[in-house]
Amino acid sequence: MTTSEFHSFRHGSFDVTVLSDGPIVLNGELFAPEANDSERADIVARLKGKDNTAHAQSNIPLIVSDNEVILVDVGAGSRFQPTEGRLEENLGKVGVNADDVTIVLISHAHPDHVWGLLKDNGTLRFPNAKYYLGKAEWNFWMGDEASALPAEVQPFVEGARRDLSAIGDRVKLIDDGDEITQGMRVLATPGHTPGHLSVVLESDVPLIITIDAISSEIVSFEHPDWSFGFDMDPAKARVTRKALLEQAVAENAKLLGFHWTYPGVGRIKRAGDAYEFISAAGERP
């Protein structure tokens, strides 16, 4: 497997490579809804954006053990923003075919995490995989609560139902703490969506794959009380985020964030009433 183009590391019994589906473009209000104009401009500038927009990365972990080839989320394919849809191509760059993937773990059913499940012709992109999704997440998107969301959110609902229905006969619904494979378990981190899951890989210290429970290595660390614009329950997401940040400090955990500046891997340290992210971007595999 050739990984020179991507950040790779060994964690416990797993080889982890951070791939990408390509970035999404978000306006400053989505990165930091509670920020004032000056604060928001500073955040956008630090993300190397301009005109009140910046890229949010789509860092997708490829996790390989002796027995499994695992993806945590699958990006958006060609269905959400034109900058996305690169995951399958990037898998090929590290010598993995879509047919080789044995497990797909879906953290939540927002477009940039699940709309890549299907090819443009409607067939499964990863036909040989077993699929895992939180029970609460499935029940939300497939039930009456999602149907009652505002009209502007209904395209998200329709897309989630399309893709989740496509794996309905092969998905395993899971709960907090369930093990996906030996040394890999899920952690319930609700608020961003009702059934949002993060992932923990065990080793001498844990690797916590936060997905969207900690949406930004800038905003979420420096302003943990601030929301992310796509948080469906901002109050619950705030409680979850602060608890997860505290857990990471207490466990001296290694972190991997989905929308963080590539590769989105690093450590956390306390900084007064907030936190600081220490990127591992300079580390060699």
Side-chain angles (χ1 to χ4, degrees), residues 204-225:
D204 53 339
V205 298
L207 169 68
I208 303 175
I209 304 171
T210 69
I211 314 294
D212 286 359
I214 302 176
S215 60
S216 167
E217 82 277 21
I218 296 174
V219 179
S220 302
F221 280 71
E222 298 177 12
H223 304 280
D225 285 325

Side-chain angles (χ1 to χ4, degrees), residues 4-21:
S4 59
E5 188 172 339
F6 301 98
H7 185 84
S8 298
F9 56 95
R10 182 79 175 175
H11 192 88
S13 59
F14 301 99
D15 290 309
V16 182
T17 301
V18 185
L19 299 178
S20 174
D21 192 49

Side-chain angles (χ1 to χ4, degrees), residues 216-239:
S216 167
E217 82 277 21
I218 296 174
V219 179
S220 302
F221 280 71
E222 298 177 12
H223 304 280
D225 285 325
W226 288 2
S227 303
F228 181 39
F230 288 115
D231 288 345
M232 300 186 78
D233 185 338
K236 182 174 286 186
R238 183 177 301 114
V239 171

Side-chain angles (χ1 to χ4, degrees), residues 138-153:
W138 174 278
N139 290 341
F140 172 77
W141 290 103
M142 304 302 275
D144 292 341
E145 286 182 275
S147 297
L149 290 172
E152 60 267 23
V153 187

